[in-house]
Amino acid sequence: MNQLDSLRALLAVIDLGGFAAAARALDTSPAKVTRLIQDLEKTLNTRLLQRTTRTLSLTEAGDLYAARIRPVIDALDAANDEVSTQGRLPSGVLKVRSSLDFAAAQLIPRVSRLQRLYPKLEVEINTSDRLLESPDLESDLTVLFSRNGLADGDFVARKLGTTSGVMCASPQYLKIHPAPVHPEELVRHECLLPTGKDLPHSFWLTSVDPANPQQFEFRPGPAKFHSNSSEALYHAALQGLGLVGMLSVHAQPYIRSGALVRVLPQWIGERWQVWAGYAGRKHVPRKVQAFLEFLQTEFGDPELDPWLV
């Protein structure tokens, strides 16, 4: 038995909550993960995991054993990484989890630049159709969004920036419908906002003019186009179907290309914090460190909104 492989398999099952997830993370089969842990239990002559058809939990012995071996494995990984990457560029597959909107607007356009810096680095971006608020432990890094800080958990997060809600429209739409100069004029426009029973019926806009700070509660009227997909609403706006509310981090590339125009530039909507979340261990792989440094260089001061244009 390769006991080191068995130790890694045990920790992966614990961290990811199952044999299938651990197998994916270790790039092997669930059957092999099962066999590695069975061999370890046989060597120790004790049961480490309590398994039923629906639940998986550590035995008392397993809990004690995992607590003792984790710092040893972390220290070994750190030593291996320091020696193997000393004087070398990061390599391997970097697995990133992100909302589709953020990946399309901010990550994918930067992949070629990242790979010019690190030619041996492969990038795998897996997306969700919603903003993520907790990390995916099967990924090296997850892009997270939060309004008021992140929930507690066994992960570390680095702030990338703050994004603000903005209103946009296509030049085509604005040729027919003059842009509003105050939020109270929005009631006369087709406003493309997501639909859903759990979504608010009104939205607050805040003036960024320091000489005239104020807030305005916007209650959108009935529109002729509806969707629960933010991506669908963006494309509807591109086709001139109305004004669309977007986070600046998603709107930035459309505005810079001229495909959309920001309206009410002195007003912003709800603000969200954007984070990079990753496993809460002492040892951070070199490829993750390099990616975090790259994003910080790209986005600048994390306390600002680098995407507000």
Side-chain angles (χ1 to χ4, degrees):
M1 178 192 70
N2 185 330
Q3 189 166 355
L4 183 58
D5 287 345
S6 292
L7 299 182
R8 292 188 189 281
L10 176 64
L11 293 178
V13 169
I14 294 168
D15 292 341
L16 300 174
F19 287 80
R24 288 193 296 271
L26 296 172
D27 195 23
T28 187
S29 67
K32 183 174 181 181
V33 171
T34 300
R35 186 171 64 253
L36 286 169
I37 292 177
Q38 288 175 341
D39 289 346
L40 182 61
E41 290 177 327
K42 184 177 180 180
T43 299
L44 298 172
N45 195 30
T46 189
R47 183 175 291 278
L48 301 173
L49 294 172
Q50 190 68 43
R51 299 178 284 272
T52 69
T53 55
R54 294 188 177 183
T55 62
L56 176 71
S57 60
L58 285 167
T59 63
E60 184 177 350
D63 191 45
L64 174 63
Y65 191 67
R68 292 292 184 90
I69 67 170
R70 188 180 294 280
V72 176
I73 297 298
D74 284 347
L76 178 61
D77 287 341
N80 288 342
D81 191 61
E82 286 176 13
V83 172
S84 65
T85 62
Q86 190 172 27
R88 291 167 47 194
L89 295 176
S91 60
V93 180
L94 175 71
K95 295 183 178 180
V96 180
R97 179 78 166 162
S98 167
S99 66
L100 175 60
D101 294 341
F102 187 89
Q106 302 298 335
L107 295 182
I108 295 172
R110 290 179 161 85
V111 168
S112 61
R113 189 151 61 246
L114 176 68
Q115 291 181 325
R116 283 198 297 272
L117 288 172
Y118 307 120
K120 295 183 178 180
L121 190 64
E122 296 179 40
V123 179
E124 177 182 316
I125 299 177
N126 297 305
T127 64
S128 166
D129 59 1
R130 59 184 178 83
L131 300 181
L132 300 170
E133 298 186 58
S134 59
D136 170 22
L137 295 180
E138 293 186 47
S139 299
D140 295 308
L141 181 144
T142 305
V143 178
L144 306 174
F145 284 74
S146 71
R147 294 184 182 91
N148 300 301
L150 296 171
D152 292 334
D154 186 20
F155 65 93
V156 177
R158 183 181 296 186
K159 192 174 180 182
L160 299 177
T162 299
T163 181
S164 315
V166 296
M167 296 296 292
C168 302
S170 70
Q172 172 188 352
Y173 177 86
L174 294 175
K175 283 181 181 179
I176 303 171
H177 310 276
V181 296
H182 189 276
E184 63 188 10
E185 298 176 25
L186 289 172
V187 295
R188 299 200 292 269
H189 287 266
E190 290 284 321
C191 293
L192 306 171
L193 297 167
T195 55
K197 63 179 181 180
D198 298 325
L199 295 174
H201 298 292
S202 64
F203 304 85
W204 285 94
L205 296 173
T206 302
S207 170
V208 296
D209 182 358
N212 187 28
Q214 56 180 306
Q215 284 190 314
F216 182 86
E217 186 178 13
F218 164 49
R219 295 181 179 273
K224 296 173 185 174
F225 180 86
H226 311 271
S227 179
N228 64 349
S229 162
S230 58
E231 188 74 12
L233 295 175
Y234 303 164
H235 285 282
L238 291 169
Q239 297 301 317
L241 296 185
L243 302 177
V244 65
M246 304 174 68
L247 290 176
S248 58
V249 71
H250 303 145
Q252 182 198 50
Y254 293 106
I255 296 173
R256 283 189 168 168
S257 71
L260 292 177
V261 176
R262 186 180 171 194
V263 300
L264 297 173
Q266 293 300 310
W267 296 80
I268 59 172
E270 191 173 40
R271 294 169 67 85
W272 289 70
Q273 296 170 347
V274 186
W275 303 81
Y278 49 98
R281 298 178 182 172
K282 293 181 180 179
H283 168 60
V284 180
R286 179 71 186 99
K287 61 186 177 181
V288 175
Q289 293 177 2
F291 189 54
L292 288 168
E293 292 164 4
F294 172 77
L295 291 181
Q296 189 149 8
T297 299
E298 290 286 303
F299 297 147
D301 188 343
E303 298 306 315
L304 303 178
D305 185 339
W307 307 289
L308 197 60
V309 292

